[in-house]
Amino acid sequence: MGWKTLDDMDFAGKRALVRVDINVPVENGVVTDTSRIERIIPTVDDIHAQGGKVILLAHFDRPKGKVVPEMSLEHIAGTVADVLGLTVTFVSSNYAEAVDEMEDEEVLLLENLRFHPGEESNDAAFAARLASLGDIYVNDAFSAAHRAHASTEAIAHLLPSCAGRLLEEELGALDAALGNPARPVVAVVGGAKVSTKLDLLGNLVGKVDHLVIGGGMANTFLAAQGFNVGKSLCEHDLADTARAILAKAQATGCEIILPRDIVVAREFKAGAASETCAPDACPDDAMILDAGPATVAYIAEVLEKAKTLVWNGPLGAFEITPFDAATNAAARHAAGLTQAGKLISVAGGGDTVSALNQAGVADDFTYISGAGGAFLEWMEGKTLPGVAALG
Ligand code: 3PG
Ligand code: MG
């Protein structure tokens, strides 16, 4: 890893521009999950402990280069202050003046960077404007590192730069899972569509020993093998692609694990009447909503022998009962093995964290990434521009 950490810098008397990801969920004006804010505390505290000042650079939602008042970071500044336990001053203009006037342990939060078109276009002039506000650049936004934006990429070339604690932690955990993992490695990939995860599957079959495919995606694979999937969510046009992935897996010696039994229902709703059947026996008028107990038992068996697990996406329609059963059972099994010291388990990406929270095991995995898209791109084996720029 070619980048520096907070330990390599001297923050005394310096202003640190700290890129964070506080793109948190907000409902009716209330932040419903403060995890992303909590996770920047170590970096803010370390910089303060070294005598540096902290200016937070962040985005919120996707205003696309325009001022969208509902997307102002002003709305969450209070929550940031509460979570950090510090005075947080929100600034929407006259940044240089605000920086000159800031107190030592006061934190400045600049307005949503995406209100400026230069942010997403990775504009050199916008990056230079930001850079002029500080002495050191710290990137602590792993979950935005897949974006080559002015505050994640261009700015890193303009100032002495380093990774914050969270970025360092995320990369360390991810490297342990796919970079240089203890084998055998199992990947669990679920979710609705194969089309959104083609690169991911393609990369994983070359890297892991066992690849469990679940959720709606599995239906595409079952159909590609000639099974009737009834009214299930299925991308029939991707049959050739699915077969190519199966062939690649065979060539690389990666075992693909598809549902060995399926849970089907006639209605997509909580509590819908369901039955378990063989993967080739989905009735014409039914849809596959979960993997069955035989599949879960086999996944458990594979996990017993594994040393590393990387998980992205649920195995079934986990948001409605009883179709959360396979996801819950497999997640609990992985959590138990992790707690027993037998498995390194890393999970991340979109729905995954809510699925693990729902299974009640998020705290029992070795590491849960706070990233959505960045976690996926990392699993796809792609270079993350925000990380590369620190190199
Ligand atoms: C996220 O929420 O995953 C990050 O903040 C990145 O947001 P984006 O997908 O809008 O770039
Ligand atoms: Mg130091």
Side-chain angles (χ1 to χ4, degrees), residues 21-41 59-60 73 75-80 82-84 143 166 349-358 362-363 368-372:
D21 185 356
I22 49 174
N23 192 21
V24 288
V26 175
E27 272 167 44
N28 302 320
V30 178
V31 176
T32 54
D33 179 357
T34 56
S35 331
R36 280 183 165 173
I37 305 173
E38 287 157 34
R39 293 176 85 162
I40 66 172
I41 294 174
H59 74 278
F60 185 76
L73 278 169
H75 307 307
I76 67 160
T79 308
V80 177
D82 291 345
V83 173
L84 296 181
S143 45
L166 176 57
D351 276 354
T352 315
V353 180
S354 27
L356 297 183
N357 272 322
Q358 196 175 298
D363 292 341
I368 305 274
S369 173

Side-chain angles (χ1 to χ4, degrees), residues 187-188 309-315 326-327 330-331 334 346-348 352 356 365 375 379:
V188 172
L309 165 68
V310 46
W311 187 319
N312 172 262
L315 295 176
T327 302
V346 175
T352 315
L356 297 183
F365 269 53
F375 186 87
M379 268 181 103

Side-chain angles (χ1 to χ4, degrees), residues 5-12 46 50 165:
T5 72
L6 298 184
D7 301 319
D8 300 311
M9 315 303 276
D10 184 1
F11 287 98
D46 272 15
Q50 287 197 40
R165 295 294 181 219

Side-chain angles (χ1 to χ4, degrees), residues 79 123 196 203 225 273 298 316-317:
T79 308
D123 180 62
T196 59
N203 184 44
Q225 291 178 304
Y298 185 63

Side-chain angles (χ1 to χ4, degrees), residues 285-309:
D285 63 344
M287 59 198 139
I288 304 169
L289 292 180
D290 200 10
T295 309
V296 173
Y298 185 63
I299 294 172
E301 197 182 310
V302 171
L303 288 176
E304 295 281 342
K305 288 181 243 154
K307 294 243 168 32
T308 305
L309 165 68

Side-chain angles (χ1 to χ4, degrees), residues 21-314:
D21 185 356
I22 49 174
N23 192 21
V24 288
V26 175
E27 272 167 44
N28 302 320
V30 178
V31 176
T32 54
D33 179 357
T34 56
S35 331
R36 280 183 165 173
I37 305 173
E38 287 157 34
R39 293 176 85 162
I40 66 172
I41 294 174
T43 293
V44 173
D45 285 354
D46 272 15
I47 293 170
H48 281 158
Q50 287 197 40
K53 290 183 181 176
V54 173
I55 300 153
L56 298 178
L57 305 179
H59 74 278
F60 185 76
D61 212 328
R62 296 177 175 170
K64 300 195 156 65
K66 294 199 179 66
V67 176
V68 179
E70 308 86 82
M71 296 181 193
S72 172
L73 278 169
E74 184 172 19
H75 307 307
I76 67 160
T79 308
V80 177
D82 291 345
V83 173
L84 296 181
L86 294 166
T87 302
V88 172
T89 306
F90 168 77
V91 235
S92 61
S93 59
N94 299 329
Y95 292 157
E97 205 174 297
V99 168
D100 282 343
E101 287 168 4
M102 74 189 283
E103 307 282 338
D104 278 351
E105 295 213 351
E106 174 186 1
V107 170
L108 287 197
L109 172 62
L110 306 194
E111 179 59 289
N112 191 346
L113 298 174
R114 291 186 182 176
F115 283 1
H116 304 268
E119 167 63 356
E120 293 192 62
S121 64
N122 200 17
D123 180 62
F126 183 60
R129 242 183 88 194
L130 292 175
S132 71
L133 301 171
D135 306 300
I136 297 174
Y137 170 71
V138 179
N139 189 342
D140 211 24
F142 174 76
S143 45
H146 58 316
R147 308 296 183 205
H149 293 174
S151 69
T152 60
E153 208 281 333
I155 192 174
H157 304 292
L158 303 177
L159 288 174
S161 299
C162 73
R165 295 294 181 219
L166 176 57
L167 188 111
E168 204 187 332
E169 178 190 276
E170 289 269 5
L171 288 174
L174 271 45
D175 188 59
L178 273 193
N180 192 15
R183 290 189 180 273
V185 184
V186 181
V188 172
V189 178
K193 289 187 168 178
V194 174
S195 50
T196 59
K197 296 203 177 166
L198 286 177
D199 291 345
L200 180 63
L201 296 173
N203 184 44
L204 290 177
V205 291
K207 286 211 166 131
V208 305
D209 305 292
H210 308 272
L211 173 57
V212 177
I213 299 178
M217 294 171 50
N219 305 338
T220 300
F221 281 84
L222 294 176
Q225 291 178 304
F227 298 160
N228 174 29
V229 295
K231 291 189 165 162
S232 305
L233 179 70
C234 179
E235 292 167 285
H236 290 283
D237 54 324
L238 288 180
D240 285 341
T241 307
R243 282 189 289 266
I245 290 168
L246 294 172
K248 181 174 174 191
Q250 201 150 26
T252 58
C254 167
E255 181 198 18
I256 300 252
I257 301 170
L258 289 168
R260 298 186 158 205
D261 54 350
I262 52 176
V263 178
V264 303
R266 266 96 187 156
E267 288 173 287
F268 185 85
K269 68 166 202 205
S274 62
E275 61 201 82
T276 300
C277 49
D280 60 352
C282 179
D284 285 338
D285 63 344
M287 59 198 139
I288 304 169
L289 292 180
D290 200 10
T295 309
V296 173
Y298 185 63
I299 294 172
E301 197 182 310
V302 171
L303 288 176
E304 295 281 342
K305 288 181 243 154
K307 294 243 168 32
T308 305
L309 165 68
V310 46
W311 187 319
N312 172 262

